[in-house]
Amino acid sequence: MTTRNEPARTITATAGGPFVCGDELIRTADYVWSEKGEPLTWQFGSPAKSNPAPPCVDAGNQVTSRSATAVMPSTSGDATSSPPAGSYAERALPKQGTKLTVTDDPSLCVHAGLCGTERATVWSLMSETNDTDTRATVIRMVEKCPSGRLVNIVDGDVVEPALPAGVGVIPDGPLWLTGNVTVRMDDGTELEVRNRVTLCRCGASASKPLCDGSHVDVDFEAGGLGSAD
């Protein structure tokens, strides 16, 4: 049972329509950039509950306002077409390092770019994880992957970042679900519940309701939360 202080951890992907969730889940999720234009980490806004606004309006894919039951834009003709089959554990391939394994499911990639810099990536650094500082760098990079394509396994245990239940709106990108939010189809079926999930906001993904990075290919442009933030 959900208490008054605990957000309802469900977002519904309606067929041919928008995503629907409680407004207390919604917040901004934007990049922190380096001086070279590299994404380094994330910064989050406050949940919508603490930023009262007029009823939610779908305006050109921009989340410009909110309500008790917020309607998140989706341009897809079918918001629930063909997510990847099976579970993450069945699809992901392991990359072995020293005292660290990173599992990788490329089908979930959204091209966020936090898995590396111009000098190194998670994959190129795995051979150097015998060095503690390098291992820590890889772990931090993996934790910033919004879709959960990459996952850390340390001493045989999955190690996930402690993220609150939320639906982050990434400018020009997907919705970022954190903290084990349930994705429910309009027929009542549910996707695998994971700590990090990204949902298509551009309508071009072949894996809807999940994002597959197509917003980059189609030059999708849409803001995050509007002036209510």
Side-chain angles (χ1 to χ4, degrees):
M1 180 176 183
T2 302
T3 67
R4 184 168 58 184
N5 296 322
E6 180 184 355
R9 298 170 179 262
T10 301
I11 183 168
T12 300
T14 59
F19 299 103
V20 179
C21 67
D23 70 342
E24 70 274 17
L25 285 172
I26 305 171
R27 58 180 180 167
T28 56
D30 207 348
Y31 296 104
V32 175
W33 300 95
S34 76
E35 67 280 3
K36 298 179 181 179
E38 301 165 317
L40 299 176
T41 190
W42 297 97
Q43 59 182 356
F44 298 98
S46 300
K49 189 175 183 179
S50 63
N51 293 288
C56 188
V57 177
D58 179 347
N61 287 326
Q62 298 196 40
V63 183
T64 55
S65 53
R66 315 176 183 101
S67 66
T69 301
V71 179
M72 309 296 290
S74 170
T75 58
S76 169
D78 178 3
T80 60
S81 57
S82 55
S87 67
Y88 176 84
E90 292 169 333
R91 296 189 305 268
L93 299 175
K95 179 69 174 179
Q96 186 67 50
T98 301
K99 298 183 179 180
L100 173 67
T101 300
V102 173
T103 54
D104 180 5
D105 178 4
S107 72
L108 299 179
C109 187
V110 300
H111 308 306
L114 289 111
C115 51
T117 65
E118 67 176 8
R119 296 180 60 185
T121 68
V122 166
W123 297 271
S124 68
L125 292 173
M126 288 300 290
S127 62
E128 304 174 25
T129 49
N130 57 311
D131 175 74
T132 303
D133 289 340
T134 301
R135 194 183 321 137
T137 296
V138 171
I139 289 172
R140 287 192 296 269
M141 285 180 173
V142 168
E143 288 181 337
K144 295 181 180 72
C145 171
S147 68
R149 166 187 173 170
L150 301 175
V151 172
N152 291 310
I153 299 178
V154 180
D155 295 329
D157 295 323
V158 171
V159 178
E160 279 282 333
L163 298 171
V167 177
V169 184
I170 301 176
D172 302 332
L175 300 180
W176 182 16
L177 278 54
T178 59
N180 299 300
V181 172
T182 297
V183 180
R184 180 174 298 151
M185 311 301 194
D186 65 344
D187 64 1
T189 61
E190 297 177 352
L191 298 188
E192 178 184 18
V193 177
R194 303 184 63 229
N195 188 40
R196 295 170 285 152
V197 173
T198 45
L199 298 182
C200 175
R201 195 156 69 105
C202 72
S205 173
S207 300
K208 293 184 290 287
L210 299 181
C211 172
D212 67 357
S214 292
H215 58 278
V216 176
D217 299 328
V218 301
D219 296 322
F220 177 65
E221 294 183 2
L225 297 176
S227 59
D229 231 9

